[in-house]
Amino acid sequence: MLRFMPVGDSMTIGSAGEHTWRYRMWQHLCTAYGGPFTLVGPREALHDPSADAPTSYAYADPDFPRAHLAGWGEGWHHMTPLIGDAVRSCRPDVLLVSLGLIDLGFYTNAEQTAGNVRAFVAEARAARPRVRIAVMPVIRNIRVEADTSFADQVARFNELLGKTVADLDAPRSPLMLVPPPRSYDFHTDTYDGTHPNETGEHKIAAAFAEALWQEWELGGPYGAA
């Protein structure tokens, strides 16, 4: 049984009434991965906008492994202290990580955020030495149009992330930088300039799926789903 753990912020946890890219990824793997697998993590809920809390289970389609480690308003800054326990308890083989927007917007600069990436990887490996980690660069949101300083920090962090991943990659515990979602446009692939709509969910899932297939031969081309 291959275990995938989605790790992310509001774009990963999703909001009440949504499918989430996690669902799209599971749907793809059901067709493309030729063996038993599941999604794991210490959480299952969606974000409930009315309560402003992760208390909803109103998935558009709830019939899938909903486990994850994601949170609305959480980033590398928040997940680094949690990842060790989550990996020990849920025993994922592959982490699918999409973080950073929150960090750069509210908590840490590009260099500090890259430091948290290193700490995150170290904690995950300490808990499960052969874990594979696929990391997506920060997906830009509408704030980059009005805040040039923020846009610069996103670009700088993504540059540092590439170097960090290359530096920390190891045969025993591969670390991969996932190419950004192809043709992703926050004007058309989100419902509010940040959070993915249906097309955005598919594009994020496709980016992970294609990288897993091309680099680690897990699954298959996203079009096979």
Side-chain angles (χ1 to χ4, degrees):
M1 173 75 74
L2 194 67
R3 298 175 178 87
F4 297 87
M5 182 188 288
V7 182
D9 52 28
S10 56
M11 289 184 281
T12 296
I13 186 174
S15 192
E18 297 175 8
H19 283 92
T20 75
W21 71 258
R22 298 180 279 115
Y23 171 83
R24 311 296 183 184
M25 187 68 179
W26 169 79
Q27 200 174 40
H28 160 74
L29 289 170
C30 283
T31 300
Y33 182 66
F37 78 95
T38 192
L39 304 183
V40 299
R43 304 174 182 177
E44 287 194 359
L46 294 158
H47 180 74
D48 184 345
S50 62
D52 192 24
T55 55
S56 174
Y57 292 86
Y59 284 85
D61 185 344
D63 189 20
F64 80 108
R66 299 169 297 181
H68 62 80
L69 177 60
W72 202 273
E74 297 186 54
W76 293 102
H77 174 77
H78 305 82
M79 294 304 181
T80 296
L82 304 179
I83 192 61
D85 285 345
V87 169
R88 273 186 288 273
S89 63
C90 301
R91 298 183 295 120
D93 302 293
V94 181
L95 302 180
L96 306 175
V97 187
S98 177
L99 291 167
L101 195 69
I102 293 299
D103 303 87
L104 300 171
F106 300 97
Y107 296 101
T108 50
N109 62 27
E111 286 75 16
Q112 292 166 331
T113 307
N116 282 335
V117 174
R118 288 181 173 273
F120 177 101
V121 171
E123 291 291 332
R125 285 173 168 169
R128 195 163 174 83
R130 294 187 180 277
V131 69
R132 302 186 188 192
I133 308 174
V135 185
M136 186 172 290
V138 171
I139 301 173
R140 303 192 324 153
N141 70 347
I142 198 168
R143 181 174 169 181
V144 301
E145 291 188 332
D147 187 340
T148 56
S149 176
F150 175 69
D152 290 344
Q153 284 293 298
V154 169
R156 174 61 177 158
F157 171 72
N158 282 342
E159 177 186 352
L160 291 173
L161 182 64
K163 295 176 180 178
T164 300
V165 167
D167 188 34
L168 298 181
D169 184 29
R172 190 181 186 202
S173 173
L175 183 59
M176 169 173 58
L177 185 67
V178 175
R182 195 175 304 162
S183 74
Y184 193 95
D185 184 342
F186 55 74
H187 294 106
T188 56
D189 294 317
T190 72
Y191 59 81
D192 61 358
T194 297
H195 302 100
N197 56 23
E198 182 176 348
T199 62
E201 290 173 358
H202 277 292
K203 288 181 179 182
I204 293 171
F208 276 117
E210 293 288 343
L212 291 176
W213 169 239
Q214 293 175 13
E215 297 299 321
W216 295 340
E217 297 184 348
L218 296 177
Y222 191 74

